[in-house]
Amino acid sequence: MADELKKGDHVTWQSHGNTTEGTVERKITSDTEASGRTVRASKDEPQYEVKSDKSGRTAVHKPSALDKD
């Protein structure tokens, strides 16, 4: 589990049964729009917007879904 990630950190996560690699774009600590959806987040329960190295697309994940390289 990756609790304290910061912009630029390289991470991996599971996507559709495959391991995806990418970079943390930002930490989200309040409800906002990101990656085409409404993200529910707070300072106590942040989420991270990550950009895939392969596709260049962004996704939002909870810290427990990300592994820091």
Side-chain angles (χ1 to χ4, degrees):
M1 183 166 101
D3 285 321
E4 280 305 316
L5 294 168
K6 60 187 180 299
K7 183 175 180 172
D9 284 348
H10 196 261
V11 294
T12 58
W13 64 94
Q14 293 296 313
S15 177
H16 306 289
N18 297 313
T19 300
T20 304
E21 297 182 32
T23 305
V24 174
E25 293 290 302
R26 67 179 171 143
K27 180 178 183 177
I28 301 170
T29 57
S30 62
D31 292 353
T32 189
E33 293 287 326
S35 298
R37 67 180 181 92
T38 300
V39 176
R40 300 285 180 210
S42 66
K43 287 189 178 200
D44 291 333
E45 294 185 22
Q47 296 203 40
Y48 292 90
E49 186 172 33
V50 292
K51 184 174 183 179
S52 168
D53 288 345
K54 187 174 181 180
S55 70
R57 293 172 56 187
T58 59
V60 177
H61 294 288
K62 293 181 179 180
S64 60
L66 300 171
D67 292 312
K68 186 174 177 182
D69 290 351

